[in-house]
């Protein structure tokens, strides 16, 4: 499997895990130091940063996630052990633009270490 395919698979699992609230799938694809960085998170002003533990808890409790989204991978840029993936996502409620930083972890698996996202309500 090519590097780009492995990166793409990590992104697909990240999105699918969120869409289906599959915390185990997300735990496997998120780096231990994973962070979500959002500007204007859920209608708030300013920057919000959520660590992996809180992200998984929010998914588990239904704070977010659980809605299927259409995903378009706009770009993948990789350089041996790091990668950047730009996504556009659409759910029944929101539009998302997401920049995802990945690292090739010590277990030789691609893991998402940062998700920089903007979410816009369809309403």
């Amino acid at each position: 499997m090519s590097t780009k395919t492995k990166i793409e698979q990590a992104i697909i699992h990240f999105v699918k895990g969120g869409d289906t609230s599959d915390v185990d799938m997300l735990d496997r694809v998120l780096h231990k130091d994973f962070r979500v960085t959002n500007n204007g998170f859920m209608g708030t002003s300013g920057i919000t940063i959520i660590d992996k533990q809180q992200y998984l808890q929010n998914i588990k409790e239904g704070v977010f996630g659980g809605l299927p989204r259409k995903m378009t991978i706009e770009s993948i840029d990789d350089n041996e052990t790091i990668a950047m993936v730009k996504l556009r996502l659409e759910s029944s409620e929101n539009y998302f633009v997401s920049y995802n930083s990945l690292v090739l972890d010590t277990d030789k698996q691609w893991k998402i270490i940062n998700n920089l996202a903007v979410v816009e309500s369809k309403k």
Side-chain angles (χ1 to χ4, degrees):
M1 190 179 312
S2 73
T3 297
K4 282 203 187 320
T5 301
K6 290 176 183 177
I7 292 166
E8 192 173 289
Q9 286 299 310
I11 292 295
I12 289 167
H13 289 146
F14 174 55
V15 172
K16 183 178 179 185
D19 290 356
T20 60
S21 300
D22 187 335
V23 176
D24 292 330
M25 181 182 289
L26 288 167
D27 188 44
R28 286 190 301 273
V29 76
L30 300 178
H31 187 273
K32 66 181 180 63
D33 295 318
F34 171 80
R35 298 283 184 274
V36 173
T37 307
N38 191 292
N39 194 349
F41 180 70
M42 297 180 86
T44 63
S45 63
I47 305 301
T48 301
I49 298 174
I50 302 169
D51 67 15
K52 180 179 180 178
Q53 181 181 13
Q54 186 62 54
Y55 180 80
L56 293 176
Q57 191 65 36
N58 286 352
I59 293 285
K60 191 181 294 186
E61 293 174 359
V63 174
F64 46 77
L67 283 176
R69 295 171 290 177
K70 178 184 171 199
M71 176 183 72
T72 303
I73 296 175
E74 292 199 347
S75 64
I76 298 175
D77 188 10
D78 68 279
N79 190 344
E80 295 184 31
T81 60
I82 59 173
M84 177 66 73
V85 178
K86 180 182 179 185
L87 300 176
R88 287 199 183 270
L89 300 156
E90 181 180 351
S91 73
S92 60
E93 297 178 356
N94 299 301
Y95 297 107
F96 305 79
V97 176
S98 176
Y99 291 86
N100 299 275
S101 301
L102 293 88
V103 293
L104 186 60
D105 209 353
T106 54
D107 63 1
K108 301 298 182 199
Q109 298 297 311
W110 284 96
K111 306 265 177 81
I112 299 168
I113 196 161
N114 190 59
N115 170 255
L116 178 62
V118 175
V119 181
E120 180 185 335
S121 175
K122 287 184 167 184
K123 298 175 186 173

